[in-house]
Amino acid sequence: MTGDTSDDMSAGEAGGRAGGRAVAIVGAGGIGRALAQALLVRDDIGQVILISRRSDVSLEDPRGALVQVTLDVTDEEAVSGWLQGLPRLDWLINTVGMLHDENHGPEKSIRQFDSDHFLASMRINCAPTLLLAKHAHALLKRSERGVFATVSARVGSIEDNGLGGWYSYRASKAALNMALKCLAIEWQRGSKSIRVAALHPGTTDTALSEPFQANVPDDKLFTPAFTAERLLERIDSLHDMPSGQFLAWDGERIPW
């Protein structure tokens, strides 16, 4: 990925059209693509900016509301440059995450712990949210109903942890949750129009969960489209509650 967005859009195009929210979806995996697709057919959305590793993600865009951007969300200079070029942003939803890679899976035992994998998990699962928040705040605080949300995971809840294992993923999601809670507290002091949230999508049929789906009941394995609709219901309701919520796809409040 690169920080160069010149071939994909102009700053004005990326800011959202008059009369509808400007929404940025970070990550074009299964959930990110489904969120973007669901937003593209909503009349209250003026622009959907999809941040991904490539700029040719295929989506139905009947209103011409989609802008695609290639961006490395771990590169602070690139993140800052992109956000500084936007005249407007109402919602930012980060879906970027890593559970496994070609050489590492979630640890069943501490004997499987690998420090490089742990640091990579932190770099992907937590750091981008902090970089995005740092540079998006100036835009979001100008929105009447700003949203800053990140897809987290129930396994990041310390109180809810009854099984153990998955050290790197759990720790990185717990760190993410703490970061979001801190943001909610800080921003409520001077940016009361913004709602910050961690969102648990449930087990969704994506590349992230594919190796672990064998024991998931059929009614608990969600399509990306179903998950996107449920998460958008949660986002639509965020201004009915205080900032700093950790919500499951069905509206359940998850303990931090």
Side-chain angles (χ1 to χ4, degrees):
M1 294 183 289
T2 72
D4 181 6
T5 64
S6 59
D7 293 337
D8 304 304
M9 64 176 183
S10 70
E13 288 173 333
R17 295 173 178 160
R21 294 187 181 96
V23 180
I25 305 294
V26 181
I31 292 176
R33 289 196 307 273
L35 283 167
Q37 186 64 78
L39 288 165
L40 285 169
V41 300
R42 283 180 44 160
D43 292 336
D44 62 326
I45 303 301
Q47 191 85 74
V48 177
I49 309 166
L50 181 61
I51 312 300
S52 68
R53 291 185 175 90
R54 60 186 222 274
S55 59
D56 60 347
V57 178
S58 179
L59 295 172
E60 295 182 13
D61 182 20
R63 298 181 294 117
L66 178 66
V67 171
Q68 296 195 43
V69 178
T70 55
L71 183 73
D72 182 351
V73 294
T74 68
D75 180 339
E76 181 166 5
E77 184 177 355
V79 169
S80 174
W82 164 58
L83 286 165
Q84 287 179 10
L86 298 184
R88 177 185 168 198
L89 185 64
D90 297 292
W91 293 1
L92 192 153
I93 306 168
N94 180 19
T95 72
V96 172
M98 181 185 80
L99 174 57
H100 54 87
D101 60 24
E102 293 180 355
N103 300 312
H104 305 92
E107 307 94 339
K108 296 181 180 180
S109 165
I110 192 61
R111 294 188 299 274
Q112 297 173 314
F113 178 80
D114 180 271
S115 60
D116 289 338
H117 178 59
F118 175 82
L119 292 173
S121 298
M122 287 290 185
R123 184 169 182 265
I124 298 300
N125 291 335
C126 183
T129 284
L130 291 166
L131 291 178
L132 290 163
K134 177 179 178 180
H135 296 287
H137 182 224
L139 286 166
L140 292 172
K141 70 181 182 180
R142 297 203 296 265
S143 174
E144 293 182 358
R145 294 172 68 85
V147 166
F148 185 87
T150 297
V151 173
S152 184
R154 183 185 291 272
V155 297
S157 167
I158 294 174
E159 184 175 341
D160 191 68
N161 182 4
L163 296 176
W166 291 35
Y167 288 89
S168 296
Y169 190 66
R170 284 186 186 273
S172 61
K173 289 296 187 177
L176 167 65
N177 292 345
M178 178 61 81
L180 289 165
K181 188 66 174 179
C182 288
L183 278 174
I185 293 168
E186 177 183 346
W187 287 358
Q188 278 298 286
R189 294 178 184 139
S191 307
K192 296 185 183 299
S193 63
I194 304 175
R195 294 293 182 271
V196 176
L199 303 173
H200 169 60
T203 304
T204 305
D205 188 8
T206 65
L208 183 144
S209 70
E210 185 176 4
F212 315 100
Q213 293 177 7
N215 296 322
V216 179
D218 289 343
D219 63 344
K220 297 298 183 182
L221 180 62
F222 306 142
T223 66
F226 175 88
T227 295
E229 291 295 342
R230 299 292 82 75
L231 293 183
L232 288 174
E233 287 176 2
R234 307 286 73 78
I235 291 169
D236 284 329
S237 69
L238 287 177
H239 281 83
D240 297 329
M241 61 189 78
S243 189
Q245 302 294 320
F246 186 8
L247 299 174
W249 61 274
D250 58 357
E252 176 192 1
R253 285 181 171 83
I254 300 174
W256 291 102

